């Protein structure tokens, strides 16, 4: 099994589908219209402010992409842009704050960004692979080659750039991983020696024990390689492979994850969650197909509570990364025996779905654009930004995709009380009962990872009385502000 890696895109080209226009038009549909209707119902003089919603929809991609869109800070950013836009229209402070709540409820609702972006190549090169991505989804690292072989770093501002020269003129040939904060890159030099890169220090050779390089802690101060495949963000837990078996190791104590029954003893811990409690990877097993048994590998996750759990949706696959909240697992495999290898994303709601299929549902047909043999290597902390590689018209190229997570209504990668609040406010307009089922499924899955198994361990909660009280109170406060 290949070792784990993680990544976001190169300068926008004509084939890039990260479309501000398309995203704006999608937001400007039912959600904007509903928000405008509510504004008009609250006060007739607000009916002309639908333009504010258009402005925010456009700014959402142009101004906020890769910055502070993720998490609860989106509310503050939304407030800032509404303040700027509405101030220009002469709207008073009290009203713009309420407009911010309306926009947050309806624009963030179901209309999170969906995108697919080819990352291109380094100048003079003709192919590329993406291996890793920073926690916030804004920095990608990998390899680009053609006449030569170079490691690359990508941001939306700079596009794809090389890392410069190493000691003695040796060139970084592969960037295998990047720290969570995006400040440290590790990989291999053209001399097959491991290196570490920082913005200030440039390229420096590091100990051979880290070869092949695999991962760093969040701040880049701790590195793993060799048998190690990944690190928790604080660097205290390592996931790896030795003697054909995956393991996690904490404080010098190693725990073997085991393997699935029926075949050669083989498993791999390819990645670990940032908190060090969940491993993803693959394991060999036997599957019954008709009257015969077929040896194969299944994608798996492991926690101390659940043990080794196979993702049985696909008969041949491996998982390579997991999001911070554990609601998104990415990897590659075959949806059925005899089908082509492709990238997948797993969530508690949807199970394993091919990334081309998820993109197609959002109106992006990567197959018609000539993409095939896709492979997903890494995911951002919030689970929404995925990077990997594939063949575009037969040429290997890195790509980035951004996808919504079912049940994550505020686009921060989890399903918590704030998501329920967004769902409740959008019920009947942008959300329905099925959306609440998604939220509950996510909640039940996260609970299953830590709670002792029982008949009720996977039961899904109805919103608690405490949560309902908070929601009612919030609605009451909003109503008083409006008056």
């Amino acid at each position: 099994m290949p070792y784990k890696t993680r990544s976001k895109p190169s300068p926008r080209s004509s084939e890039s589908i990260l479309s501000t226009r398309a995203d704006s038009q999608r937001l400007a549909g039912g959600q904007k219209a509903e928000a405008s209707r509510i504004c008009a119902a609250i006060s007739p003089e607000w009916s002309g402010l639908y333009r504010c919603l258009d402005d925010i929809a456009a700014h959402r991609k142009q101004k906020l992409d890769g910055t502070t869109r993720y998490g609860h800070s989106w509310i503050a950013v939304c407030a800032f842009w509404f303040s700027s836009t509405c101030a220009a229209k002469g709207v008073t402070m009290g009203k713009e704050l309420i407009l911010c709540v309306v926009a947050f409820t309806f624009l963030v609702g179901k209309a999170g960004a969906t995108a697919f972006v080819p990352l291109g190549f380094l100048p003079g090169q003709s192919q590329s692979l993406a291996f890793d991505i920073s926690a916030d989804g804004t920095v990608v690292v990998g390899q680009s080659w053609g006449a030569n072989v170079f490691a690359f770093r990508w941001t939306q501002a700079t596009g794809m750039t090389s890392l410069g020269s190493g000691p003695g003129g040796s060139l970084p040939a592969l960037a295998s991983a990047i720290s969570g904060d995006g400040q440290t890159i590790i990989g291999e030099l053209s001399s097959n020696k491991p290196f570490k890169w920082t913005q200030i220090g440039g390229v420096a050779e590091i100990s051979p024990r880290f070869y092949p390089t695999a991962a760093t802690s969040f701040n880049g101060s701790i590195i793993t390689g060799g048998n190690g495949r990944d690190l928790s963000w604080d660097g205290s837990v390592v996931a790896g492979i030795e003697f054909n078996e995956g393991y996690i190791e904490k404080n010098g104590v190693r725990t073997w994850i085991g393997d699935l029954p029926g075949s050669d003893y083989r498993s791999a811990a390819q990645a670990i969650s940032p908190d060090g409690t969940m491993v993803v990877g693959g394991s060999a097993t036997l599957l019954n197909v008709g009257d015969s048994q077929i040896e194969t590998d299944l994608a798996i996750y492991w926690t101390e509570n659940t043990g080794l759990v196979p993702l049985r949706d696909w008969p041949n696959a491996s998982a390579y990364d997991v999001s911070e909240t554990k609601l998104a697992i990415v990897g590659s495999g075959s949806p059925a025996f005899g089908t082509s290898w492709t990238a997948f994303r797993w969530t508690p709601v949807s199970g394993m779905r091919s990334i081309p299929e998820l993109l197609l549902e959002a109106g992006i047909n990567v197959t018609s654009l000539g993409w095939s043999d896709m492979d997903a290597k890494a995911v951002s902390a919030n689970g929404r930004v995925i990077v990997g590689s594939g063949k575009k018209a037969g040429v290997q190229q890195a790509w980035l995709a951004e996808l919504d997570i079912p049940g994550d209504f505020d686009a921060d990668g989890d399903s918590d009380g704030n998501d329920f609040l967004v769902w409740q406010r959008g019920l009947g307009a942008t959300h329905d009962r099925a959306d609440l089922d998604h939220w509950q499924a996510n909640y039940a899955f996260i609970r299953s990872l830590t709670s002792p198994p029982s008949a009720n361990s996977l039961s899904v909660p109805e919103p608690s009385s405490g949560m309902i009280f908070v929601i009612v109170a919030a609605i009451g406060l909003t109503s008083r502000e409006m008056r």
Side-chain angles (χ1 to χ4, degrees):
M1 296 180 183
Y3 66 83
K4 137 123 303 235
T5 47
R6 287 193 264 241
S7 249
K8 197 165 173 161
S10 81
R12 296 182 183 180
S13 66
S14 59
E15 70 169 325
S16 296
I17 313 174
L18 183 58
S19 171
T20 300
R21 182 183 303 172
D23 189 61
S24 179
Q25 287 174 344
R26 183 155 51 87
L27 289 172
Q31 287 153 306
K32 188 206 71 175
E34 181 65 15
S36 299
R37 183 189 65 78
I38 289 177
C39 286
I42 293 171
S43 175
E45 66 180 315
W46 285 12
S47 59
L49 291 178
Y50 68 89
R51 184 60 198 169
C52 287
L53 300 175
D54 273 340
D55 293 343
I56 292 298
H59 281 312
R60 185 163 189 251
K61 269 297 177 191
Q62 295 171 338
K63 304 292 186 181
L64 306 177
D65 188 68
T67 312
T68 47
R69 175 165 92 254
Y70 306 119
H72 297 91
S73 56
W74 164 252
I75 301 176
V77 177
C78 177
F80 171 78
W81 283 109
F82 258 89
S83 177
S84 301
T85 305
C86 295
K89 298 176 183 294
V91 181
T92 63
M93 183 64 180
K95 291 180 180 179
E96 67 190 46
L97 285 176
I98 299 171
L99 277 171
C100 177
V101 173
V102 173
F104 176 71
T105 300
F106 290 95
L107 293 184
V108 174
K110 274 188 175 177
T114 299
F116 178 79
V117 185
L119 301 191
F121 321 106
L122 283 172
Q125 310 309 310
S126 58
Q127 301 191 69
S128 62
L129 295 169
F131 290 136
D132 204 6
I133 190 168
S134 59
D136 65 1
T138 63
V139 188
V140 178
V141 296
Q143 182 182 60
S144 185
W145 71 96
N148 297 289
V149 181
F150 298 103
F152 75 76
R153 175 181 181 269
W154 179 95
T155 70
Q156 190 168 350
T158 64
M160 193 178 287
T161 58
S162 61
L163 302 181
S165 299
S170 182
L171 295 173
L174 165 69
S176 59
I178 187 170
S179 58
D181 63 8
Q183 301 301 306
T184 302
I185 297 171
I186 59 173
E188 280 92 61
L189 299 168
S190 54
S191 59
N192 290 328
K193 296 179 180 179
F195 76 84
K196 174 180 178 178
W197 176 95
T198 62
Q199 190 80 51
I200 297 176
V203 178
E205 189 176 320
I206 57 177
S207 171
R209 73 178 185 274
F210 297 121
Y211 184 87
T213 54
T216 79
S217 58
F218 185 85
N219 63 8
S221 63
I222 303 173
I223 298 171
T224 191
N227 292 327
R229 292 295 188 264
D230 201 10
L231 283 172
S232 60
W233 273 357
D234 64 7
S236 67
V237 188
V238 60
I241 309 167
E242 192 170 15
F243 309 119
N244 282 333
E245 184 176 358
Y247 67 84
I248 67 166
E249 186 171 307
K250 183 175 183 178
N251 299 324
V253 178
R254 182 171 292 190
T255 301
W256 301 93
I257 69 172
D259 83 331
L260 298 173
S263 184
D264 293 340
Y265 202 97
R266 185 174 74 247
S267 66
Q270 300 284 12
I272 195 166
S273 59
D275 65 1
T277 63
M278 182 180 186
V279 164
V280 299
S283 176
T285 191
L286 286 177
L287 290 184
N288 294 319
V289 180
D291 296 330
S292 61
Q293 288 187 319
I294 296 179
E295 182 177 352
T296 187
D297 289 88
L298 296 182
I300 58 96
Y301 69 82
W302 178 97
T303 71
E304 185 176 358
N305 181 64
T306 63
L308 199 66
V309 179
L311 304 181
R312 294 186 178 276
D313 300 347
W314 289 15
N316 187 16
S318 183
Y320 296 130
D321 206 6
V322 59
S323 65
E324 180 184 8
T325 60
K326 310 177 185 68
L327 292 182
I329 296 173
V330 300
S332 305
S334 299
F337 286 119
T339 60
S340 299
W341 197 263
T342 192
F344 76 79
R345 185 195 68 180
W346 178 95
T347 70
V349 173
S350 64
M352 296 173 77
R353 299 284 305 281
S354 80
I355 289 175
E357 184 179 46
L358 291 170
L359 289 167
L360 182 61
E361 291 178 357
I364 302 173
N365 191 338
V366 294
T367 302
S368 69
L369 294 173
W371 286 84
S372 63
D373 301 324
M374 297 175 71
D375 186 32
K377 286 296 187 184
V379 65
S380 61
N382 67 8
R384 301 176 65 84
V385 185
I386 304 164
V387 294
S389 307
K391 290 182 178 179
K392 170 71 165 65
V395 177
Q396 197 76 42
Q397 184 176 172
W399 54 262
L400 174 143
E402 186 171 0
L403 295 165
D404 295 336
I405 295 177
D408 174 26
F409 307 125
D410 61 2
D412 66 352
D414 61 17
S415 287
D416 57 13
N418 193 66
D419 293 285
F420 179 82
L421 180 62
V422 175
W423 172 84
Q424 193 271 345
R425 286 178 171 170
L427 183 60
T430 59
H431 296 302
D432 55 26
R433 174 68 202 196
D435 293 323
L436 180 61
D437 292 341
H438 295 166
W439 178 83
Q440 291 174 318
N442 289 342
Y443 180 94
F445 173 72
I446 296 302
R447 184 181 175 192
S448 75
L449 300 180
T450 55
S451 302
S454 70
N456 297 320
S457 63
L458 292 181
S459 62
V460 291
E462 292 297 330
S464 67
S465 58
M467 183 180 292
I468 292 173
F469 174 79
V470 170
I471 292 170
V472 171
I475 293 173
L477 288 172
T478 303
S479 299
R480 285 194 294 275
E481 176 70 16
M482 290 178 180
R483 290 194 294 268

